[in-house]
Amino acid sequence: MKIDCFKAYDVRGRVPDQLNADVVRAIGRAFAEEIRPGRTVVGHDIRLSSPELAQALTEGLTAGGSDVADIGMCGTEEVYFATAHYGAGGGIMVTASHNPLDYNGLKLVRSEARPISGDSGLPAIRARAERGDFRPMPHGQVRHLDHRADYVARLLASVDREALPGLKIVVNPGNGGAGPVLEALEPYLPFELIRVNFEPDGRFPNGIPNPLLPENRAATAEAVRRNGADLGVAWDGDFDRCFLFDAQGNFIEGYYIVGLLAEACLEGHAGERIVHDPRLTWNTIEMVRAAGGEPIQSKTGHAFMKERLRHEDAIYGGEMSAHHYFRDFYYCDTGMLPWLRVAELLGRRGQSLGEMVAERMARFPCSGELNFEVEDVAAATNRVLGAYAEQGGALDHTDGVSLEFADWRFNLRSSNTEPLLRLNVETRADPALLERRVDEISRMIQG
């Protein structure tokens, strides 16, 4: 069986032509035989296809000899938590995160929620699933695991609740899975939560929950302004990413939140390492060094970032795409801790979110991530690089290509999960230069 939905750091594909119960069952069987987890945590998001795929996954895992701890509908970070907290040998989340309605996928981890990526096990699982020459194994058992109370307790233990101010916060799960966790957290927090698109609904009646897209931000921004809220928070479908809005309803690019959280994590922890991705870097590097930390660059993607965090024993890592990783959350990404940590900062510093990031946004203006559908990614990339070849910039290939000059830089990379070429540009305190470079590179990409 040919399986075409393995990506750089997870499994992702259209349902049912690329990903279906047969494919997922084979992947589960291959995971069980390749990783030999003993017990595997299985969870799924709110997509309509997810329960069926989770059932097929469970069948494959148990046929391969693994017991299954079923945690039901949840967020991706809850699979990470349950795998590490309860000592399971592996964990798999059925989710397509922010991909279109007809997609689904799998995120896989080993014991201690260690990631499995294209560099650390996915190719072997794919090869075994495609061969299908599975060994007869004693059948595993399935048990439901009620993890939510322990997970919430872990989140609450990671913030200083006495420092949390009484804020009015707009929360928008985008009809994804974050709502039930927010309800479980709410009794322990001094916040007034204003709900928007709150109920989990795999039909996504208000659009695919992906606040990284500008067109998906209006509902949160308008609710912040209408209610006079102090903060707005929106999540993607499996809520491993969270996106923040200031008290004026302005969307704050995840890039600036990375610097803010890095600075906060380094308070009292000088000398610690901070991992960041290569798309936008200058603000993060400057803030980390000013706070006494050491910035470490990693390939983009949740599996690669987690691997690098563990390797460096970094206290925190962040991607401009709103993935935030914490050493005290098993080196994993979480969409719940970042907004709680930012709320804690609002209380400690007596400043609004807008006030905390305004200077950094002015110092390092950025384009945000711009996406282009192109037929030939390599040709488009070469056109851009060729145009600047004689200008003497510093070239970096950590992920895609980054080209850095004295007063501006850019990163150009193909998506690992979608047929897109992604562009990020930043300058040193020069919005006009930013606009000019974005315009000229966009024209080159489009030929």
Side-chain angles (χ1 to χ4, degrees), residues 178-196:
V181 171
L182 293 169
E183 289 184 328
L185 280 168
E186 189 174 19
Y188 304 99
L189 301 173
F191 306 144
E192 177 187 347
L193 300 184
I194 299 164
R195 293 160 163 77
V196 175

Side-chain angles (χ1 to χ4, degrees), residues 43 232 358 364:
F364 296 106

Side-chain angles (χ1 to χ4, degrees), residues 213-281:
L213 301 177
E215 60 267 27
N216 289 354
R217 300 170 187 167
T220 309
E222 290 169 2
V224 168
R225 291 190 288 264
R226 184 172 63 252
N227 292 279
D230 302 291
L231 188 67
V233 191
W235 290 266
D236 61 356
D238 62 334
F239 64 91
D240 59 353
R241 297 184 298 159
C242 77
F243 304 80
L244 301 181
F245 297 72
D246 69 14
Q248 284 70 51
N250 299 313
F251 177 82
I252 305 300
E253 289 287 348
Y255 177 36
Y256 304 108
I257 304 301
V258 171
L260 185 66
L261 288 173
E263 181 183 59
C265 288
L266 287 167
E267 291 178 7
H269 297 278
E272 293 276 11
R273 294 175 175 181
I274 302 292
V275 177
H276 64 88
D277 69 297
R279 288 173 285 185
L280 296 167
T281 66

